Amino acid sequence: MTQVPLSLLAAALPAAVLSGKADHMITAIADDSRKVQAGALYACLRGARYDGHAFAADAVVAGARALLVDKPVKGIDRHAVGVITVKNVAQTLKWLAPLFYNYPSLALRMVGITGTNGKTTVTYLLRAILEKSGMRQGRKSQVGLLGTIHHVIAGKIIPAKNTTPMAWDVQRFLAEMVSQHCQAAVMEVSSHALAEDRVCGCDFDVAVYTNLTPEHLDYHKTMAAYARTKRKLFSSLGRPGLKKSKRFAVINLDDPHAGMMMQAAKGAKVITYGMTSRAKVTAHAIKLGPDGTRFLLKSASQKIPVRLRLLGRYNLSNALAAAAAAQAMGVPLKKIKQGLESMIAVSGRMERVPGLQKFNVVVDYAHTPDALKNALQAIRETTAGRVILVFGCGGNRDVSKRAPMGRLAVELAEVVVITSDNPRREDPEKIIKDILVGCQVRTKRGAQADKVLVVQDRSRAIRRALALAQPKDTVLIAGKGHEAYQILKDKTIACDDRSIARESIKQFIRRKSWKA
């Protein structure tokens, strides 16, 4: 258990004032009064809806021995509790957490993956490669993972609230990895995390860039600002750190923003990947199929055949990213091949739904125009019949992507079923109308492009799409991927696209009918 004197923590913070009982030993950091344990330092964070200072007394009752505040709090016995007063709790906590957990990133080989799409798949592929290279003891992986689907530490699965946790949680998870004898940490680094310094105190050995396409513009406002935020991960590689090992920037040379990221990575060795022959890690003799992709993985003068079981050309790009990152970490090509071939599927990423039906059903997390385009093109390349698409757009998020996604849908699919995604506090009908604006275009597919159905209830929409499917068709259910819930205005309900599809298929087969 971590134990740090409160006086030592206060002394390490510039312009901090320690009052009250100063001789406590702090055993944890908490930012939620409901999760306080005995011996904790409770950080009184100000949020959009609540001010943590209002719950300081509750935290003390729960066992907190110290408070981190930026304004006075009432109802606290100053003789029993230590209080550190700072200018800004959130800013201070980002620097305090690495100190408290003894800078755990220094004891790990740190890999951060950023980009609009592909982060999750690259993390899982890279973890599989590192495990094949020797970072596994029996059933226990020595590669920790932080990401969108969940966090994984030595076999322990931890639910993920954010793609990249808050800065203090990142440090706590990394410290747990160290205590569990992990050798490496592979983590997704979102643009929100970079903008909010959530990876403050993380000393990365390898930074990976996948791509940049329109997303999160409700937050970043412009693509230029979005790109500058992503760039921060690579500029951090050149900062002085305690690690003496070489830093690496792994860059997708197929992406238009590659040059910007490479320029930012001063002081790091750049390893490029991509389909272009100029890339250091690339693929040849590519054969796409309904069961995956076969290709020759080329790095320098070496080549090795790989059978990747993930679908689509863009997953080939993700595989090259993982291979290049593994190469930066000194993994031989043979082990890279073994790791790539061991990955059967990533939850909710072009994941097949098995069954006795005579057509394919695939669930994918695609919720941006570029991701939807990639998914549809991957399905189109391996489908002999029609492509039937089910999708929607999330509420209270970037409105500008809705019409483009509607346009892509009718251009690349024969049948489109528009439904609800996570409407949140927004009117689902309004979201669907925004999507339909893009569906009004005429395409090369002619009259088939007019076959756009609206079924607001997501479960019914999936059933409708499956009922329309014929042998050799592919039904793509896009947008929510691994998510097993749906966020509505006043509640969150159970909603797992994969489960809905599986149960619907079983019902249709039992009835020996595909009528909805």
Side-chain angles (χ1 to χ4, degrees), residues 211-222:
N211 50 59
L212 195 73
T213 61
E215 171 71 329
H216 303 308
L217 297 186
D218 55 318
Y219 182 88
H220 297 289
K221 306 306 179 186
T222 67

Side-chain angles (χ1 to χ4, degrees), residues 145-283:
L145 184 150
L146 301 180
T148 302
I149 299 175
H150 47 227
H151 313 314
V152 187
I153 302 174
K156 178 183 176 183
I157 307 296
I158 304 165
K161 293 182 179 180
N162 305 100
T163 294
T164 309
M166 302 307 288
W168 38 97
D169 288 327
V170 168
Q171 298 302 318
R172 175 168 59 88
F173 289 140
L174 294 179
E176 186 174 349
M177 290 179 195
V178 173
S179 71
Q180 292 296 319
H181 309 292
C182 288
Q183 297 182 41
V186 179
M187 63 182 294
E188 298 182 50
V189 182
S190 68
S191 59
H192 289 70
L194 289 166
E196 297 167 7
D197 290 330
R198 295 185 201 170
V199 289
C200 178
C202 290
D203 205 336
F204 287 102
D205 298 275
V206 182
V208 181
Y209 172 70
T210 60
N211 50 59
L212 195 73
T213 61
E215 171 71 329
H216 303 308
L217 297 186
D218 55 318
Y219 182 88
H220 297 289
K221 306 306 179 186
T222 67
M223 282 296 293
Y226 185 28
R228 285 194 299 271
T229 302
K230 291 290 188 187
R231 190 174 179 232
K232 290 174 69 176
L233 180 62
F234 300 92
S235 60
S236 72
L237 296 174
R239 294 174 191 160
L242 295 177
K243 284 183 177 178
K244 295 182 180 179
S245 56
K246 184 72 176 177
R247 312 299 175 88
F248 292 87
V250 175
I251 308 291
N252 180 6
L253 206 55
D254 295 329
D255 186 84
H257 295 86
M260 178 183 186
M261 303 304 163
M262 286 190 283
Q263 187 179 27
K266 293 178 180 178
K269 181 177 180 179
V270 175
I271 298 179
T272 58
Y273 72 91
M275 304 303 178
T276 173
S277 60
R278 295 182 294 112
K280 293 180 181 178
V281 177
T282 188

Side-chain angles (χ1 to χ4, degrees), residues 4-10 13 17-33 36-45 52-53 55-70 73 76-85 89 93 96 100:
V4 181
L6 177 62
S7 56
L8 179 63
L9 292 177
L13 300 175
V17 177
L18 175 60
S19 60
K21 192 171 178 62
D23 59 353
H24 281 305
M25 295 296 289
I26 303 303
T27 59
I29 294 176
D31 64 334
D32 186 331
S33 62
V36 165
Q37 299 176 352
L41 166 72
Y42 172 61
C44 300
L45 290 169
H53 293 80
F55 304 98
D58 295 335
V60 173
V61 171
R65 293 294 173 263
L67 303 173
L68 183 66
V69 305
D70 53 31
V73 290
I76 303 300
D77 183 358
R78 294 297 181 106
H79 298 291
V81 180
V83 179
I84 301 177
T85 302
V89 169
L93 193 54
L96 180 64
F100 176 78

Side-chain angles (χ1 to χ4, degrees), residues 275 286-295 308-319 349-350 352 374-382:
M275 304 303 178
I286 301 166
K287 294 182 180 179
L288 299 170
D291 298 320
T293 304
R294 294 177 183 271
F295 65 100
L308 183 69
R309 287 186 274 188
L310 305 185
L311 299 176
R313 192 177 297 274
Y314 69 95
N315 270 326
L316 173 56
S317 178
N318 292 333
R349 270 64 177 175
M350 292 298 277
R352 301 182 191 87
N374 287 336
L376 284 167
Q377 286 178 337
I379 294 294
R380 168 58 55 204
E381 287 179 313
T382 57

